[in-house]
Amino acid sequence: MHVRLGTRASLLAVTQSELVADQLRALGHTVELVRIRTGGDVERGSLTRLGTLGVFAAELRTAILDGRCDFAVHSLKDLPTAAVPGLVVAAVPERACPHDALCAAGRRLDELPAGAKVGTGSPRRVAQLRALRPDLQYVDIRGNVGTRLARVADGDLDAVVLAAAGLRRLGMADQIDELLPILPAPGQGALALECRADNAEVLQALAAVDDAEARRAVEAERAVLAGLGGGCAAPIAALVADGVLRLSLIHI
């Protein structure tokens, strides 16, 4: 079967899409990547100010509905919890590491000096890190993984916080100095394969790469997010590990 996979054009998005494409190719399918430019790629403001309606997902979802692609690969932590009529998450492949990583040029969180500047665009991360290190400066940043890491290499920032899964998928695990002892965003480390609910052939193809354990875990985490009315920028943390759901609603 030939399928068209919609993806954002960023290096991380394409890398994640290629990982899924390779799984499907191994099952005998041919996969064509269709790059879709999204509002989240164009808008340069803070993610907090952009709101919670899914700045990275909307155009991908539109592309599925209007027939430009057959399915899309989303980072599940960026996917809004509200259902879109006509679309369904057909598969959640095996989940990668869900934790947040500190990239600090060889230093751990407790080794950063007072006043050190730590970059992240996530209120959830800032709130939890501030509880651990209230003496640090937290800087709101945007940009792709390479751009953020470059600000540490250039000395503009002392550290940045990124999802460990993305770094590992990009082959940048050597940039991780510490997996942080904070709770991640619901669904972090997982991918969502979304397609039209009435496309039986694509549904069947994608079902073959679904991981039941990963799906159960992220569905529980996202149920917390939905129940509390939060979006992808909300300071809500949740993680299912060893069958236990841990969560935190953080006041900022």
Side-chain angles (χ1 to χ4, degrees):
M1 180 180 178
H2 179 79
V3 289
R4 295 164 300 158
L5 190 170
T7 178
R8 292 172 55 207
S10 73
L11 177 60
L12 178 57
V14 171
T15 298
Q16 293 180 156
S17 293
E18 284 287 7
L19 290 172
V20 172
D22 285 344
Q23 288 182 279
L24 292 172
R25 289 169 183 143
L27 294 171
H29 304 289
T30 60
V31 184
E32 172 191 356
L33 261 63
V34 179
R35 288 167 173 78
I36 307 294
R37 197 177 191 194
T38 73
D41 297 315
V42 176
E43 175 60 56
R44 306 320 306 166
S46 165
L47 281 177
T48 304
R49 293 192 295 273
L50 291 178
T52 61
L53 297 180
V55 293
F56 300 122
E59 284 86 350
L60 287 172
R61 286 174 150 177
T62 298
I64 301 170
L65 290 169
D66 67 19
R68 281 177 287 158
C69 60
D70 299 306
F71 76 102
V73 172
H74 305 281
S75 290
L76 196 47
K77 70 181 180 64
D78 297 326
L79 190 65
T81 57
V84 173
L87 296 181
V88 64
V89 174
V92 177
E94 183 178 0
R95 190 180 196 176
C97 174
H99 299 293
D100 290 305
L102 182 75
C103 304
R107 293 178 291 186
R108 296 172 61 86
L109 184 66
D110 61 6
E111 295 171 334
L112 293 174
K117 293 184 290 183
V118 179
T120 174
S122 165
R124 170 191 59 80
R125 288 169 175 158
V126 171
Q128 293 184 86
L129 289 171
R130 188 169 281 137
L132 297 171
R133 288 295 307 268
D135 57 324
L136 301 181
Q137 298 181 55
Y138 296 98
V139 181
D140 188 15
I141 61 172
R142 287 290 310 277
N144 60 35
V145 171
T147 299
R148 297 185 188 207
L149 290 172
R151 293 185 66 176
V152 177
D154 294 343
D156 179 43
L157 295 171
D158 296 288
V160 292
V161 181
L162 298 165
L167 289 164
R168 291 177 176 177
R169 287 171 178 147
L170 287 170
M172 296 180 179
D174 60 330
Q175 297 294 316
I176 298 174
D177 294 306
E178 181 181 8
L179 293 179
L180 291 166
I182 62 177
L183 286 175
Q188 186 163 308
L191 302 176
L193 313 188
E194 190 173 45
C195 71
R196 291 181 64 102
D198 60 0
N199 194 332
E201 284 189 305
V202 173
L203 282 166
Q204 183 177 7
L206 298 184
V209 299
D210 187 60
D211 183 284
E213 182 178 353
R215 179 183 280 271
R216 284 193 297 268
V218 299
E219 285 179 348
E221 294 165 15
R222 285 167 58 79
V224 171
L225 187 62
L228 293 172
C232 59
I236 296 170
L239 177 66
V240 172
D242 299 322
V244 176
L245 172 64
R246 293 189 295 152
L247 61 95
S248 178
L249 176 60
I250 303 151
H251 297 285
I252 58 172

